[in-house]
Every structure is written in structure tokens, then in C-alpha cells.
Amino acid sequence: MKFYLTKQAQLAAEGRGPASAKAAKSTKAPKGTRRSTADVPLVPAPSAAATSLVAAPPTAGEASPPKQPKPNRGIIAIGGLPRVDLLPPEVRAERRAAVHVRRAWTAVAGLAILVVVAGGTAALYAQGSEATLASAQNQTSFLASQTMKYSAVKTTQGQVDLIDAARKVGGSTDINWPAYLAKVQATLPSGMTLATVTIDSASPVASYAQATTPLEGQRVATLTFSATSTSLPSVPTWLTKLATLPGYTDAQAGTIQLQTGVYTAGVVVHIDEKAFSNAYTKEGK
């Protein structure tokens, strides 16, 4: 089996090419003459260097070669043009390094853009914070200037608060004595009249002296009074009625004296904090 480089070479070898046809036409015998086989030019056989993957037609006695399957895409066909990569590996390495360098510079550029954006955002936020702070400081200054206009009112309010506190402290031991003595007068038996009254009460700045005997209770005030009557007074009945007074703690009866037909009886009454009026300690008073 012979192989030719091209189809034209194969046709030329077989005597069917264009050149053979022209030669045959030029050597055609004139009309009326018979051409002998000796006048047909011989086509030289192709050299061995002109072999190709194109198969020559089989001669007599040779079996026809099997048909070659068509090459698929992506598969190099046998007999294609030979290619040789003469590029040095250093050039390819340099190209790969250049790609890496470009990627690195792209990453650096992206990082730089990110830093710039973050810096700009931080700067804008700082400017906003400074503007808010300046606005708050201006408002504080304005409120301080407005407060100075009412400094006199503030001073007066402070004085009022001080007076109110002093009133509460001073009135913490207050007892409504006129009303209390009226209640004492109501406890007198028939025919008796109050003659003298002595009051000893607690002070807001000093504690009241307490009794030294265990039978006497705590007190905040002591009432010492005397009553007169034209008849012998019933002192036990009087002492029983005195126990109904607000803040009553205990009572002690004194001696009964008779002078010019008039009886005089003395009584000492102790009272506790329940007798306070609380008139100056209530809210709104």
C-alpha cells in the first residue's frame, strides 16, 4: 500500500490529474491516425518522501483497507500538520508570574478602595458627632443663659423651702392649747371652775425631761392646774373624765384646800405625742 501527501499527488500518480490530462491532449494523434501505447507518456512513481496518510487504490489481489473513522472533535487526527512548541519554559513562567502580579495588584487596589471608603465613612460619622455635640453645647449654653434670668426666682424659692422646713421643724411639737384646755374644762364636775393653768411642753430643739419613776409613762407636756368649787369637789370623778383627753398618759391629784368657804383642788396631768396638732407637718399646709 502506498501513501501520498495530497490528493493531487495521488491523482497525478494514477494519471488522472489535470497535468496528465493536458499531456494526453497534447500528445493526441491526429485524426485518422491510430495511437499506439508507446506514445503515452509514463508518469513516474512518487518518491518515498511524498508518502502520505492518503491511501492509494488497492491493486489487483490486494484487499481494500478498512475505512478510517472520522476523528471526533477535540481529538488530534493522525496525519495532521505537525506542530512544535519552541517557546522556552522561562517565558511561560514569566507569563504566569505576570498574571499573579496583576491579581496581587488588583487585590491591593481593592483593599485600598475599601480603606478609603471606611475612612470616609468614619470621617462623616465623626463630623456628624461633632455637629451633634456642638448643637447640644449650644442648647446647654442657651438654657444656662435663660436660667440666669430667673436666678432671683430660684433664690426666692430656696428661701421659701427653707422657711417651710423651719416651720415644719418648729411646729413638730405644736399643741392646740386653746382647744385642748376647752376639752379640759369640759371634764370638770358640775360647780367647778378652772382657776390656774401651768403648761410645760417639749421644744423642737431639746428633748423633754422624762419621769424617773417606772410607773409614769413617756410624756411631751405637763399640765398643772387648779379648780375651785363652793362645795367639796368629787376628785375621783374628775380624774376619770381626764383620762378621755387626747394623748392622756397619767394624772395625779393634789390636796384640797378650803379658804373662805371655797374649795381649791389641784391636778397634774401628763400627755404624750398624740396631743400634737401636726398642723405644720402636713403636706400643703
Side-chain angles (χ1 to χ4, degrees):
M1 181 180 295
K2 297 181 181 181
F3 294 91
Y4 300 93
L5 291 177
T6 61
K7 188 69 175 177
Q8 295 179 354
Q10 180 182 356
L11 294 176
E14 295 176 354
R16 295 184 297 170
S20 300
K22 290 180 180 180
K25 188 176 182 179
S26 60
T27 54
K28 186 175 180 182
K31 190 175 181 180
T33 59
R34 189 175 182 179
R35 185 179 178 182
S36 62
T37 55
D39 297 332
V40 178
L42 297 177
V43 179
S47 61
T51 59
S52 174
L53 292 181
V54 181
T59 58
E62 290 184 358
S64 62
K67 294 183 178 180
Q68 297 293 333
K70 295 183 178 180
N72 297 327
R73 291 185 177 180
I75 301 177
I76 300 175
I78 300 175
L81 297 178
R83 296 182 180 180
V84 178
D85 188 2
L86 302 178
L87 193 65
E90 291 80 1
V91 176
R92 296 186 178 277
E94 185 178 355
R95 291 179 178 177
R96 288 193 295 269
V99 172
H100 294 318
V101 169
R102 284 196 299 270
R103 292 178 180 177
W105 278 111
T106 302
V108 171
L111 182 61
I113 294 173
L114 181 62
V115 170
V116 171
V117 171
T121 303
L124 292 177
Y125 181 77
Q127 291 179 358
S129 300
E130 291 178 356
T132 303
L133 177 61
S135 177
Q137 290 176 348
N138 293 334
Q139 186 176 4
T140 302
S141 301
F142 175 75
L143 293 177
S145 63
Q146 293 296 320
T147 304
M148 293 299 295
K149 296 180 180 180
Y150 303 98
S151 58
V153 177
K154 186 175 181 180
T155 303
T156 303
Q157 184 64 41
Q159 293 176 354
V160 170
D161 294 340
L162 181 61
I163 293 173
D164 185 63
R167 181 174 60 85
K168 290 180 180 180
V169 173
S172 60
T173 59
D174 175 72
I175 299 175
N176 190 356
W177 291 115
Y180 200 88
L181 293 177
K183 293 178 181 179
V184 173
Q185 180 71 30
T187 61
L188 291 174
S190 172
M192 293 188 68
T193 305
L194 282 176
T196 60
V197 177
T198 303
I199 300 174
D200 183 21
S201 62
S203 171
V205 295
S207 59
Y208 190 74
Q210 302 298 317
T212 57
T213 58
L215 297 179
E216 295 182 357
Q218 299 290 326
R219 75 285 303 271
V220 296
T222 300
L223 295 177
T224 303
F225 48 84
S226 61
T228 60
S229 175
T230 57
S231 61
L232 184 64
S234 178
V235 177
T237 303
W238 189 16
L239 293 177
T240 302
K241 290 184 178 181
L242 287 174
T244 61
L245 294 174
Y248 174 84
T249 301
D250 56 60
Q252 298 174 0
T255 59
I256 300 176
Q257 298 177 357
L258 178 60
Q259 294 179 352
T260 62
V262 177
Y263 293 93
T264 302
V267 177
V268 178
V269 179
H270 299 127
I271 57 179
D272 58 15
E273 66 275 0
K274 293 180 181 179
F276 290 155
S277 64
N278 297 321
Y280 301 100
T281 59
K282 295 178 181 179
E283 295 294 334
K285 295 294 183 178

